[in-house]
Amino acid sequence: MAAESFWAAIALSGIAGAAIPLGGAISAIDRIRPNWLEQELRHTVAAFGGGALLSAVALVLLPEGTARVGPGLALLLFGLGGLAFFIVDRALHERGSSTAQLLAMLLDFLPEAMALGALLVSDRATALLLAILIALQNIPEAFTAFRELKSSSAIGTGRLLLLFAAIALLGPLAAILGEEVLINLPGLLGGIMLFAGGGILYLIFADIAPQAKLDQHWAPPLGAVGGFMLGLAGSLFIG
């Protein structure tokens, strides 16, 4: 059973992580209606990713983390996560870097991959559903992160896609960590999830939501609703 969980963790997290370079590749295709892609679609996808991230915080990271550490410590760790990523975000801004969506994607992907690995030991059906949700979240998040990085750096398309492929490999590593180590350390796993949740919430309102704003267009806010509905649907099916 341990060997099966190990390989299942690699397979499921690998599939979920593969959505990251896929989202980047979709974003790299800018020859079809480039003005529409740059304006309404990009803003709508950013809002969708923000909604999906918010659902991850509200429906996965907070309840699962709080169940493992208790309410008092949960509040402290959540607040520390927001404070830590305020410091990181401010430092990146002062250096002229624009990586909020990339940070948010990593904050979402890695803790959930750890939880995925841990769940494979006790609840494979939930782990499978979580893997699907992670993949669906990663596509819009990677789409927006790719365009954000490309517009604010001199990195070429090919190198960015290689970077996103390398990031995808972190998923199986995180899942193995959850399956082999954190399953026996529920408090630590819960703390990681809560800390990440605080950081995600900060980045949503500091960087991602403002990027989704587009005058005289109403698709982006609906995209945020759709992203949250994605996570809500998964939570309801799990429940």
Side-chain angles (χ1 to χ4, degrees):
M1 180 64 72
E4 289 181 14
S5 298
F6 179 86
W7 291 111
I10 293 177
L12 288 180
S13 59
I15 292 171
I20 294 175
L22 174 61
I26 294 172
S27 181
I29 303 173
D30 56 5
R31 294 183 297 275
I32 302 173
R33 298 188 64 186
N35 291 333
W36 173 76
L37 181 68
E38 179 60 29
Q39 292 296 319
E40 187 159 5
L41 180 62
R42 183 174 73 85
H43 287 74
T44 302
V45 170
F48 184 90
L53 283 167
L54 187 58
S55 74
V57 173
L59 303 173
V60 179
L61 298 177
L62 273 178
E64 292 290 335
T66 303
R68 288 168 170 80
V69 306
L73 186 55
L75 282 171
L76 176 62
L77 290 169
F78 188 81
L80 286 175
L83 179 62
F85 277 85
F86 153 71
I87 295 171
V88 171
D89 188 41
R90 183 169 179 175
L92 290 172
H93 180 74
E94 290 177 352
R95 294 183 180 182
S97 177
S98 181
T99 57
Q101 186 72 49
L102 180 64
L103 280 173
M105 181 175 66
L106 288 172
L107 273 170
D108 183 31
F109 178 43
L110 297 181
E112 286 190 341
M114 294 177 194
L116 170 64
L119 282 170
L120 278 168
V121 179
S122 58
D123 190 347
R124 291 199 169 192
T126 300
L128 176 60
L129 182 55
L130 180 59
I132 294 171
L133 288 174
I134 295 172
L136 291 174
Q137 291 169 187
N138 279 343
I139 292 175
E141 291 164 17
F143 179 98
T144 307
F146 185 94
R147 296 193 71 79
E148 183 181 66
L149 285 171
K150 190 171 182 181
S151 65
S152 63
S153 69
I155 304 176
T157 297
R159 291 180 64 185
L160 273 178
L161 289 175
L162 287 175
L163 172 64
F164 276 42
I167 290 172
L169 296 177
L170 296 175
L173 295 176
I176 291 171
L177 179 63
E179 189 267 342
E180 294 288 330
V181 178
L182 296 180
I183 184 62
N184 300 313
L185 299 168
L188 179 58
L189 176 60
I192 292 171
M193 296 170 80
L194 289 160
F195 188 88
I200 291 171
L201 191 64
Y202 168 81
L203 290 173
I204 288 173
F205 286 96
D207 294 290
I208 297 171
Q211 288 186 51
K213 174 67 175 175
L214 191 61
D215 291 338
Q216 298 182 356
H217 291 275
W218 294 270
L222 288 175
V225 174
F228 192 89
M229 286 177 64
L230 170 69
L232 178 60
S235 179
L236 292 173
F237 280 120
I238 290 173

